[in-house]
Amino acid sequence: MSALDIIGVRKRYGTVDTLKGIDLSLDSGEFLVLLGPSGCGKSTLLNIIAGLAEPTGGDVRIDDRSVVGVHPKDRDIAMVFQSYALYPNMSVERNIGFGLEMRKVPAAERAEAVKTAAKILQIENLLERRPSELSGGQRQRVAIGRALVRNPQVFLFDEPLSNLDAKLRMEMRTELKRLHQMLGTTVVYVTHDQIEAMTLATRIAVMRNGQIEQLATPAEIYERPTTLYVAGFVGSPSMNMLDAHIADGVARIDSSDVVIPLPYETSAKGRPDQKLVLGIRPESLRLASDGEAPAFEANVEVVELTGPELVISATVGQQRITASLSPKSDIQAGTRRRFALDADALHIFDKETEKRL
Amino acid sequence: MERRSLTATIFIHAFALLLAAVIVAPVIWLFVMSISSTADLTAKPLHWWPETVDLSRYTRLLTAVANTEGAAFVAALFNSLRVAGMATIAALLVAIPSAWAVSRTPTVGWSLYAVIATYMLPPVALAVPLYMALAALGLLNTVYGLALVYLTILAPFTTWLLKSGFDSIPREIESAAMMDGARLDQILRLITLPLAAPVMATAALFAFLLAWDEFFYALLFTSDLRAKTLTVAIADLAGGRVSDYGLIATAGVLAALPPVLIGLFMQRALISGLTQGGVKG
């Protein structure tokens, strides 16, 4: 059963089209991440779901009920804001229970619900404090508790971890994942952090310029990005993009004599001299053993050990390429080495349409 | 600054003292004048400190015997309290909703600037229309009429001050309360106004001071004990053929007391109100 449907939602501010027709449907219990750079419209979409903004066109349905024009409090949603938006003049307990208080839930029942939420989030000992007496991570927990206690149909998160430092962010990320697994709630989560998106989501909607570029599971987004944009946005270090063209049924990398064989269906469909972009994930490259193919030679320029991996910067012809190897690899800067890749690790895009071939 | 040199430290303290002296000196002189005898005040060379402390003027001004300077002064004191109090409360009642509206709806921000623009007019330009309006309403020489005039001065000023106070309260907090199911009046009462309390206190105090110190309109629109305010009463003391400078000084000291007491009372709220926005979190 779908918990949330967004049908042809458009939003226009003055002459600017912030959202240009968004369609998506979310099953109950799904964790959808809206991923994109700032200004792509992801926060606007979240605000439209929340009811803090109204769409210029289209429909938003929660639990199969149109909520366009419905007041946020009547939408059966709860939202966690980037700035936490706690009430500074109230204790943590009242902060969490405020939604129930406003809905005239009896005090005893309210206290019980607050206690349960606090227990889940491990903030039982903080209930008497004021938000100003809490650390960033604790405030975040209170903000989540405030959403949790209302037991809404859909949870909305607006970049909830971006105000935390790196270590805490990782902890809270795991915590959110644990919560979602435990409670099985439906979540819409906005972020520009691809790692958050990959780890948390059951599905990711990569957004760009007010449109959804690709809507798929994290694995699919990573393994089969449908456009150059998605390919470049997800993955760290980001995917190598080599300019190439079709020559005699194979891809020849521009400004070099390196050729990479193309899958039959690509070369059959391709025009001669068609311009391509070859996407190769740094982690799918490895040092080639003798006679291994497909492989190509590259000039190794920089070798960086990050701990779990060895990041190589090299050049193929005039083009830069990054490879992420095992830290035990025997490789030095200033040498010329052969790198191999699996044929199915090659992502081939048309340079003009930026679409996957 | 742990590593400041001795000269720099002396320099800084010397200038702090100088600044304090410049600010406090007139007030101290006012007080000294109020307790000096006329002989001391007119002596040549001037006696900087009176030979005998003379508190008679305070009793003279704070008496309730009819037809004395004291009766006029006490009546004026109460008139001032009523006018400034009424005008301040009315100004806050007008300013809180309008400041909130302007702060949360940037598209109507121009209206506040339009109101502030009228503030640029010199009071004398408005004196005649205001006089005629008050006359038509039968409010000349009443505390209500004067409070109404002051409201027109205070409301734009307090609205403007409160707007910047509301601006510093994140809208997300109100959005969160809205999603939590709070009605508009609940959001204001439970969240926004408590958070804006320091700036409201600041606005109230400044509004009260402005009304308390106003002279021009009070002089024009009041004529006797029924409505005359302190500033006018003090001017009357100086208006006779023989001016008792000590008496004027005493009236000045007494006139300064209520705002100072209110300021002390609201000190904590005031300081956090004045520094709000400068410091985060």
Side-chain angles (χ1 to χ4, degrees), chain A residues 152-204:
Chain A
Q153 181 76 30
V154 182
F155 280 93
L156 307 175
F157 287 87
D158 188 7
E159 310 217 14
L161 305 185
S162 53
N163 283 358
L164 302 176
D165 63 61
K167 186 166 173 288
L168 206 53
R169 196 179 311 161
M170 261 176 76
E171 281 173 29
M172 283 307 293
R173 206 172 70 203
T174 315
E175 182 81 17
L176 279 175
K177 182 116 185 162
R178 186 179 70 88
L179 273 177
H180 180 248
Q181 282 169 358
M182 187 168 80
L183 303 168
T185 45
T186 312
V187 177
V188 181
Y189 185 107
V190 162
T191 185
H192 59 258
D193 183 318
Q194 49 109 0
I195 309 254
E196 269 172 40
M198 291 297 287
T199 50
L200 288 170
T202 57
R203 274 198 298 165
I204 299 177

Side-chain angles (χ1 to χ4, degrees), chain A residues 139-160:
Chain A
R139 286 181 204 189
Q140 186 63 71
R141 281 168 197 266
V142 176
I144 294 170
R146 192 168 62 181
L148 211 60
V149 77
R150 294 206 357 236
N151 195 19
Q153 181 76 30
V154 182
F155 280 93
L156 307 175
F157 287 87
D158 188 7
E159 310 217 14

Side-chain angles (χ1 to χ4, degrees), chain B residues 205-227:
Chain B
L205 184 72
F206 275 87
F208 187 84
L209 277 181
L210 213 61
W212 186 264
D213 292 340
E214 209 285 330
F215 175 66
F216 183 70
Y217 287 140
L219 182 69
L220 290 180
F221 301 148
T222 64
S223 50
D224 62 28
L225 292 191
R226 279 173 292 174

Side-chain angles (χ1 to χ4, degrees), chain A residues 184-327:
Chain A
T185 45
T186 312
V187 177
V188 181
Y189 185 107
V190 162
T191 185
H192 59 258
D193 183 318
Q194 49 109 0
I195 309 254
E196 269 172 40
M198 291 297 287
T199 50
L200 288 170
T202 57
R203 274 198 298 165
I204 299 177
V206 182
M207 291 186 66
R208 179 195 193 186
N209 293 336
Q211 279 172 317
I212 292 179
E213 193 90 355
Q214 185 175 5
L215 174 64
T217 63
E220 218 178 315
I221 294 264
Y222 179 78
E223 282 156 18
R224 281 191 62 81
T226 53
T227 66
L228 263 181
Y229 179 78
V230 175
F233 205 84
V234 173
S236 174
S238 58
M239 187 188 273
N240 294 300
M241 306 278 189
L242 296 174
D243 286 333
H245 56 274
I246 296 182
D248 304 330
V250 296
R252 182 178 294 276
I253 292 175
D254 293 353
S255 76
S256 78
D257 50 8
V258 173
V259 293
I260 307 252
L262 289 173
Y264 173 71
E265 60 270 28
T266 314
S267 53
K269 270 191 298 185
R271 295 169 271 110
D273 281 333
Q274 183 178 359
K275 287 193 188 313
L276 303 176
V277 175
L278 299 183
I280 304 167
R281 294 234 177 254
E283 50 274 27
S284 63
L285 286 171
R286 59 176 186 273
L287 290 175
S289 46
D290 289 342
E292 193 176 350
F296 56 87
E297 286 206 329
N299 294 317
V300 179
E301 289 183 337
V302 180
V303 177
E304 293 165 293
L305 178 67
T306 63
E309 57 191 13
L310 203 60
V311 178
I312 314 294
S313 300
T315 51
V316 179
Q318 302 293 318
Q319 302 190 59
R320 301 207 149 269
I321 190 164
T322 306
S324 171
L325 307 177
S326 141

